[in-house]
Amino acid sequence: MGLTIGAIVLNVDGQDEVADFWRQALDLDADANPDFLIPKDVPATRLHLDRTDRTHLDLWVDSNSTPEAEVERLIGLGAERVEDWTYPPNADFVVLRAPGGTIFCIIG
């Protein structure tokens, strides 16, 4: 295989505030280049192709936590619930908005 996903690029305002949120939310490290946050030891990222959803991040909750705990932790870091989202029956996700406006999902 000659290619891997090297970065996910988010267009944001308030880069320092947004970087601080994502660094804490995903336990990332700062890089020498201030535009980058780098993962610690994590599994490979999947590319999800979908006809109906807008571009966003799906954050999967690991076995050390719960979706509810992660939603509350991220709200404490500055995220907001997207109240007007239309959820399917028995949804296994919660939609949040990060500082800077990026929409993302917590998947349980």
Side-chain angles (χ1 to χ4, degrees):
M1 172 68 79
L3 298 173
T4 61
I5 297 174
I8 298 169
V9 180
L10 302 177
N11 183 321
V12 299
D13 292 324
Q15 188 171 356
D16 290 340
E17 174 187 1
V18 174
D20 189 50
F21 173 81
W22 287 115
R23 187 173 27 259
Q24 292 181 59
L26 298 175
D27 195 25
L28 299 171
D29 288 327
D31 188 59
N33 178 334
D35 290 345
F36 289 94
L37 298 173
I38 55 175
K40 295 178 178 161
D41 197 21
V42 296
T45 301
R46 297 175 189 218
L47 183 60
H48 177 156
L49 305 177
D50 191 297
R51 293 179 198 190
T52 59
D53 285 337
R54 66 184 97 182
T55 301
H56 65 279
L57 299 174
D58 282 348
L59 305 180
W60 296 0
V61 178
D62 67 27
S63 62
N64 297 321
S65 190
T66 66
E68 298 80 12
E70 291 304 315
V71 167
E72 292 308 313
R73 184 177 73 83
L74 296 169
I75 287 172
L77 294 175
E80 301 172 343
R81 285 183 186 267
V82 177
E83 299 294 345
D84 61 347
W85 197 268
T86 303
Y87 288 92
N90 302 314
D92 67 345
F93 65 94
V94 175
V95 181
L96 299 177
R97 179 177 292 111
T102 302
I103 298 291
F104 64 100
C105 295
I106 300 300
I107 310 291

